[in-house]
Amino acid sequence: MSKLVGAPLLIGAVAYTPNVVPIWEGIREYFDEPETAMDFVLFSNYGRLVDALQAGMIDIAWNTNLAYARAVLQTDGHVRPLAMRDTDATFSTVFVAAAGSGWSGPGDIATRRLVLGSADSAHAAILPLHYLREAGVDVDHLHIQRFNSDIGKHGDTGRSELDAIDAVLAGDADVAAIGITVWENIGRGDLMPGMLEPVWQTETYSHCMFTALDTLPESVYAPWVSKLLAMDWEVPAHRRILELEGLTRWVEPHLEGYNGLFAAIKEQGVDARW
Amino acid sequence: MVVMALMRTVEQMAEGDTAEFAVASASELELVRRWCEKTGNTLVSTLMAEQDTGHVTVGRGRPRNPGSMIPADRMPGARLWLYTNFHCNLACDYCCVASSPKTDPRLLGIDTIQALVTEAADWGVRELYLTGGEPFLLPDIDVIVRACADRLPTTLLTNGMLFRGHGLRKLQAMPRQGFALQISVDSPTAEVHDSHRGAGSWERALAGIRVALDEGFTVRVAATISAHDDPALDELHALFDGLGIPRADQVIRPIAHQGVAEEGVAFTRESLIPEVTVTADGIYWHPVAALDENALVSRQILPLAPALDRVSELFTQQWSSATATTSMFACA
Ligand code: SF4
């Protein structure tokens, strides 16, 4: 247990955009009360964040789904999932093609040139292959191109997904696997009129998770979690943080949403150190 | 594809930082607007060189207060517009207040103007803009200008066609310090300008600019660009450069869809950073909407300060609400 009596709770996160600083400063300000005081430490990649959690350098890690799975696997399950964004509970991957392709469903992807995002992005590389395999596609014989940008950041920057979309638009690939967030941010294609159309969408799965070790006392994390869940979209000061972080409210962990990822890690032999 | 450029750039910017993007059509501008709304970012300003192409400035996130993204000289209340009168010697087909020789003059009058300017200066207004109609149709325009320029830096918008006889004498009586004339020239040759404003108007506007420069006035030129005309921006700038007018004093803007304009960029009150505007009919949100009942802030002209307070307050609320996007429409 790293928490010293009276010391602020220490949260670790990965700095994938400069906004991580104002986001966490806003969060720290929100929690600035004796019961819930916290501070934050930023890491350059999720591998080191998970190391720091295990080493007791931080109390809670703001993990991607892959980082959460890593933490579970590396600690033999001795973690305590605390909370996630509403948007994390219903994440999915969307397969998109150039408008007019008329393709629909995994069968139409099986015979096309598929482009994936960063190899360490669960939503843009690992889970797309897993769900295609589950849908009966022979992924070992798929024609696959990858954009391995920003490795270590688990696809947080979204760059590899934009590279994948560009490859489809340029005609260098047929179908791109992108996260639902990127798809939503282009208005499900409406904001790029006449350019993209969806081919298939995976079932929903879970994404990021505040993760502690199971040695963190309840008296320490419980007040913090209940204050987190109390953040309110209708309060302008809260909304600013929620908007920058991409959610409308914090929710309890949805653990069943990680089953696909644990299976995918096994199937694909995903690197343990990312 | 402007949305891909936004996704690549804005998402990686620090909150409050801004970046400029080129837009190639009115529909691309609309896409930028919608993308900003959807993603919680801010369309800070649009500067359309012509109706369909131009640049937009997009800010990351939503600013905590408008002052962090809007320059101080554009904050609500920094500028006050006064419509001295509504009648005009011309009847331009895109006039945003439908002026013509037959229009009811609706004069503000020197006494009201004096009272407005005193209040404005005390409130913190930094600059005055006098417009119409054609202000040089007023026999006391020189007195009005003096009353304004004595208190605050003042710009007078004119078509520049009446600088002879009485008009010239009135011009000569105006101050050279703290005062500028803004004269409209829409095209590098007479054809386009005259097609909107009337035969011979281009020649006379250019003659007016030369007279004003010779008299030692600071002259800004403003071009109102129609989507249907070739903007010929390079030639237009070359013409203005040739007259010795610095680039910073060359204002180019699209037609606003107001007044008698059948085409133009449509604005709503929510989409414009306010520039408080007083006419004989009341106080309005912005000079391009001085006939628009939706943009009416108050029927009562005096006292002015409550209206300035109200506009600032409304704007701050609008700015911090989740979906507001605003743009500056450069009248001057
Ligand atoms: S645009 Fe100016 S010059 Fe033309 S009619 Fe209107 S007020 Fe007069």
Side-chain angles (χ1 to χ4, degrees), chain B residues 216-251:
Chain B
F217 286 98
T218 299
V219 176
R220 286 203 287 271
V221 283
T224 306
I225 304 286
S226 159
H228 301 306
D229 301 324
D230 172 3
L233 293 182
D234 292 346
E235 292 90 332
L236 200 53
H237 282 304
L239 172 72
F240 296 156
D241 294 346
L243 290 165
I245 293 165
R247 283 288 167 109
D249 288 339
Q250 304 179 10
V251 182

Side-chain angles (χ1 to χ4, degrees), chain A residues 16-19 22 157 159 162-163 165-166 169 182 184-188 190-193 195 233 239-240 243-244, chain B residues 1 3-4 7-8 10-16 30-31 34-35 37-40 60-62 64 320-323:
Chain A
Y16 64 92
T17 95
N19 287 317
T157 65
R159 199 174 94 191
L162 299 178
D163 290 341
I165 290 174
D166 274 340
L169 294 178
V182 168
E184 288 289 357
N185 283 351
I186 54 176
R188 300 179 162 260
D190 285 353
L191 297 181
M192 294 173 61
M195 306 195 93
W233 179 259
R239 185 187 295 194
R240 174 177 159 259
E243 253 188 335
L244 278 173
Chain B
M1 183 65 241
V3 167
M4 286 296 277
M7 301 265 289
R8 279 193 190 276
V10 179
E11 299 286 312
Q12 287 305 307
M13 288 176 354
E15 189 194 21
E30 184 51 27
L31 292 176
R34 285 169 53 202
W35 183 84
E37 259 178 47
K38 189 157 200 47
T39 54
R60 176 71 176 105
R62 297 200 186 282
R64 269 169 278 187
S320 56
S321 78
T323 56

Side-chain angles (χ1 to χ4, degrees), chain B residues 12-328:
Chain B
Q12 287 305 307
M13 288 176 354
E15 189 194 21
D17 279 359
T18 59
E20 255 200 16
F21 298 87
V23 287
S25 64
S27 53
E28 271 206 346
L29 175 61
E30 184 51 27
L31 292 176
V32 174
R33 216 181 280 289
R34 285 169 53 202
W35 183 84
C36 286
E37 259 178 47
K38 189 157 200 47
T39 54
N41 294 300
T42 305
L43 179 53
V44 180
S45 66
T46 59
L47 261 182
M48 301 302 275
E50 33 179 320
Q51 192 183 350
D52 287 349
T53 69
H55 282 86
V56 294
T57 303
V58 172
R60 176 71 176 105
R62 297 200 186 282
R64 269 169 278 187
N65 65 65
S68 63
M69 278 196 185
I70 300 178
D73 63 351
R74 291 298 189 130
M75 282 295 282
R79 295 174 160 198
L80 180 70
W81 288 80
L82 303 177
Y83 271 83
T84 54
N85 58 298
F86 278 98
H87 61 319
C88 187
N89 54 316
L90 295 182
C92 306
D93 61 7
Y94 53 61
C95 183
C96 71
V97 288
S99 289
S100 79
K102 290 189 194 141
T103 304
D104 178 0
R106 285 123 79 209
L107 309 182
L108 265 182
I110 179 69
D111 293 344
T112 306
I113 290 175
Q114 236 148 4
L116 286 166
V117 170
T118 304
E119 259 200 87
D122 292 346
W123 189 88
V125 169
R126 298 177 179 207
E127 268 185 290
L128 298 172
Y129 288 82
L130 300 177
T131 188
E134 174 48 58
F136 271 84
L137 289 175
L138 301 177
D140 60 347
I141 187 61
D142 50 337
V143 181
I144 291 174
V145 165
R146 243 184 215 292
C148 293
D150 278 352
R151 290 303 301 259
L152 289 167
T154 300
T155 300
L156 175 69
L157 277 65
T158 170
N159 56 37
M161 295 173 63
L162 300 175
F163 299 163
R164 29 181 149 172
H166 284 312
L168 180 57
R169 273 200 293 284
K170 281 179 269 172
L171 176 70
Q172 285 165 335
M174 290 177 182
R176 310 303 194 266
Q177 290 299 318
F179 175 65
L181 291 156
Q182 180 172 311
I183 300 178
S184 309
V185 176
D186 295 342
S187 54
T189 56
E191 202 193 340
V192 171
H193 181 101
D194 286 2
S195 75
H196 293 290
R197 293 175 172 263
S201 59
W202 184 85
E203 277 291 351
R204 286 178 63 190
L206 282 186
I209 292 172
R210 291 197 187 95
V211 168
L213 289 169
D214 285 349
E215 290 288 341
F217 286 98
T218 299
V219 176
R220 286 203 287 271
V221 283
T224 306
I225 304 286
S226 159
H228 301 306
D229 301 324
D230 172 3
L233 293 182
D234 292 346
E235 292 90 332
L236 200 53
H237 282 304
L239 172 72
F240 296 156
D241 294 346
L243 290 165
I245 293 165
R247 283 288 167 109
D249 288 339
Q250 304 179 10
V251 182
I252 296 180
R253 68 224 167 158
I255 292 176
H257 189 93
Q258 299 282 352
V260 292
E262 282 173 5
E263 52 146 335
V265 181
F267 298 107
T268 61
R269 189 165 98 175
E270 289 70 28
S271 74
L272 284 172
I273 295 176
E275 296 186 16
V276 176
T277 300
V278 185
T279 82
D281 305 324
I283 300 177
Y284 292 81
W285 189 260
H286 195 281
V288 299
L291 297 185
D292 184 347
E293 288 303 295
N294 295 322
L296 180 69
V297 178
S298 147
R299 275 270 166 245
Q300 197 183 326
I301 297 170
L302 287 167
L304 173 67
L308 289 167
D309 288 339
R310 173 107 187 97
V311 168
S312 297
E313 191 188 308
L314 279 173
F315 178 68
T316 307
Q317 281 170 11
Q318 171 181 314
W319 183 270
S320 56
S321 78
T323 56
T325 54
T326 47
S327 56
M328 283 189 284

Side-chain angles (χ1 to χ4, degrees), chain A residues 19-78:
Chain A
N19 287 317
V20 170
V21 175
I23 289 171
W24 284 98
E25 283 177 342
I27 295 177
R28 179 174 59 190
E29 198 179 310
Y30 169 75
F31 281 100
D32 189 17
E33 281 167 26
E35 278 259 278
T36 56
M38 57 154 279
D39 206 344
F40 62 93
V41 189
L42 298 178
F43 294 81
S44 73
N45 64 74
Y46 283 100
R48 297 306 82 71
L49 175 68
V50 172
D51 287 349
L53 177 68
Q54 292 184 70
M57 283 169 61
I58 54 173
D59 301 303
I60 297 171
W62 176 228
N63 278 334
T64 58
N65 44 1
L66 181 60
Y68 169 72
R70 286 263 155 270
V72 170
L73 295 172
Q74 288 174 17
T75 61
D76 249 342
H78 288 291

Side-chain angles (χ1 to χ4, degrees), chain A residues 2-272:
Chain A
S2 70
K3 176 87 169 98
L4 300 173
V5 176
L9 202 62
L10 205 50
I11 318 277
V14 166
Y16 64 92
T17 95
N19 287 317
V20 170
V21 175
I23 289 171
W24 284 98
E25 283 177 342
I27 295 177
R28 179 174 59 190
E29 198 179 310
Y30 169 75
F31 281 100
D32 189 17
E33 281 167 26
E35 278 259 278
T36 56
M38 57 154 279
D39 206 344
F40 62 93
V41 189
L42 298 178
F43 294 81
S44 73
N45 64 74
Y46 283 100
R48 297 306 82 71
L49 175 68
V50 172
D51 287 349
L53 177 68
Q54 292 184 70
M57 283 169 61
I58 54 173
D59 301 303
I60 297 171
W62 176 228
N63 278 334
T64 58
N65 44 1
L66 181 60
Y68 169 72
R70 286 263 155 270
V72 170
L73 295 172
Q74 288 174 17
T75 61
D76 249 342
H78 288 291
V79 300
R80 183 174 312 284
L82 298 175
M84 64 205 306
R85 302 171 298 188
D86 50 358
T87 41
D88 287 315
T90 54
F91 216 89
S92 65
T93 297
V94 182
F95 295 84
V96 297
S101 74
W103 301 326
S104 175
D108 274 343
I109 300 168
T111 54
R112 316 288 167 193
R113 297 169 301 164
L114 176 66
V115 56
L116 299 175
S118 281
D120 66 350
S121 167
H123 59 266
I126 299 168
L127 288 169
L129 286 182
H130 168 73
Y131 287 113
L132 281 174
R133 184 196 297 271
E134 275 209 328
V137 174
D138 177 7
V139 293
D140 299 328
H141 292 97
L142 259 180
H143 183 296
I144 292 174
Q145 185 186 347
R146 290 176 184 272
F147 284 103
N148 286 329
S149 43
D150 302 323
I151 287 284
K153 297 198 166 61
H154 292 190
D156 275 357
T157 65
R159 199 174 94 191
S160 67
E161 290 153 82
L162 299 178
D163 290 341
I165 290 174
D166 274 340
V168 167
L169 294 178
D172 298 334
D174 298 316
V175 177
I178 60 174
I180 185 71
T181 314
V182 168
W183 184 233
E184 288 289 357
N185 283 351
I186 54 176
R188 300 179 162 260
D190 285 353
L191 297 181
M192 294 173 61
M195 306 195 93
L196 292 174
E197 66 184 28
V199 179
W200 187 52
Q201 186 166 348
T202 67
E203 62 186 65
T204 58
Y205 51 79
S206 291
H207 211 292
C208 299
M209 175 70 79
F210 277 116
T211 316
L213 296 182
D214 62 4
T215 47
L216 190 69
E218 188 179 350
S219 60
V220 173
Y221 69 76
W224 190 84
V225 171
S226 34
K227 190 158 171 69
L228 182 76
L229 297 180
M231 257 194 203
D232 184 354
W233 179 259
E234 296 307 324
V235 178
H238 302 183
R239 185 187 295 194
R240 174 177 159 259
I241 299 166
L242 297 171
E243 253 188 335
L244 278 173
E245 186 56 39
L247 70 153
T248 53
R249 63 191 181 94
W250 297 98
V251 298
E252 307 266 357
H254 287 230
L255 295 183
E256 66 291 346
Y258 293 107
N259 294 343
L261 183 58
F262 283 112
I265 288 171
K266 252 193 219 149
E267 286 158 15
Q268 297 171 33
V270 174
D271 192 311

